[in-house]
Amino acid sequence: AILILKKRYFVLRQQDIAMDLAHSARSAAELRRDLDRCPELWDLFRAKFDCMKYNGKVPLQDLDLYFCTLVYGSKQAFTSIHALWDKFEVGEKGYMTKDEWYNLCTRVQTKLPKHAQLDIWNLLAWRDKVHLHKPDFVAGWHVHDLELRDAHVKSIAGNLQLEYYGIKVEELQERMRMRLAEDSQVSGSHS
């Protein structure tokens, strides 16, 4: 389910971009010119922004970078995904609250911007927006672990054309360094 949700997340983000383009375009010709610069948007228009009908590639997203980096960074401090869960889920409820999630995000080695923490929460807490259930947490961590690639996840990610699963850890780290540098430049310009 998490992999399909990742594809849906991409499609919905692209739909938002298309709507912004449509609202900002002064004419149909201008909108068409803008869409010609983004061929994946044409494919999405044809699929009526239905993630199950969209057969195009899903390029590496910020969500992928942040989540894979979070998984990679947490592995050094915790012997297993279950140890990580047990450390931050209070009371053996079987779910994590948003406060517990934010606590996890501030305590692990990899520090994520607040928007990335929320994006990952929204992906994982798909069953219930106020609770993150342990099976979804474990599944999310599993499909974002690029060091221990699972053949089943690789096959599904390939069929869904999720490009993030094909990236090497070294490339992920380099892209994340560039992304964090961009984040710091943006936040520095707002100061």
Side-chain angles (χ1 to χ4, degrees), residues 34-184:
D34 288 342
L35 289 173
D36 282 341
R37 293 184 196 135
C38 305
E40 67 275 359
L41 282 177
W42 275 123
D43 291 342
L44 285 161
F45 267 122
R46 281 188 219 97
K48 295 182 172 51
F49 291 97
D50 180 337
C51 73
M52 300 315 287
K53 293 179 183 173
Y54 174 64
N55 292 319
K57 291 185 188 225
V58 178
L60 183 71
Q61 304 292 298
D62 282 350
L63 174 70
D64 303 321
L65 282 176
Y66 288 122
F67 203 162
C68 291
T69 302
L70 179 63
V71 170
Y72 181 76
S74 68
K75 288 172 74 173
Q76 298 166 359
F78 296 92
T79 56
S80 72
I81 183 63
H82 302 286
L84 175 66
W85 174 267
D86 292 343
K87 173 77 175 169
F88 295 101
E89 186 270 327
V90 178
E92 298 183 26
K93 309 175 294 294
Y95 64 84
M96 193 178 283
T97 65
K98 197 179 273 190
D99 287 340
E100 290 168 341
W101 168 252
Y102 286 136
N103 184 37
L104 179 154
C105 289
T106 58
R107 303 266 191 247
V108 295
Q109 178 183 356
T110 304
K111 303 299 181 220
L112 301 179
K114 198 72 162 179
H115 69 86
Q117 295 173 30
L118 183 59
D119 284 348
I120 295 170
W121 169 269
N122 288 335
L123 175 69
L124 294 177
W126 63 278
R127 293 176 201 266
D128 172 1
K129 291 299 177 192
V130 296
H131 299 124
L132 168 53
H133 296 274
K134 186 174 182 178
D136 299 322
F137 179 83
V138 171
W141 236 255
H142 182 70
V143 302
H144 288 90
D145 188 342
L146 299 183
E147 289 183 307
L148 300 173
R149 295 188 194 257
D150 179 290
H152 187 67
V153 172
K154 181 179 179 182
S155 174
I156 295 170
N159 287 336
L160 293 172
Q161 298 193 53
L162 301 171
E163 291 186 341
Y164 89 95
Y165 207 70
I167 192 171
K168 291 182 170 62
V169 172
E170 299 77 22
E171 183 181 351
L172 170 78
Q173 290 170 328
E174 181 57 32
R175 286 188 183 205
M176 195 63 207
R177 276 191 285 278
M178 292 185 318
R179 185 69 186 110
L180 291 172
E182 289 171 11
D183 284 349
S184 68

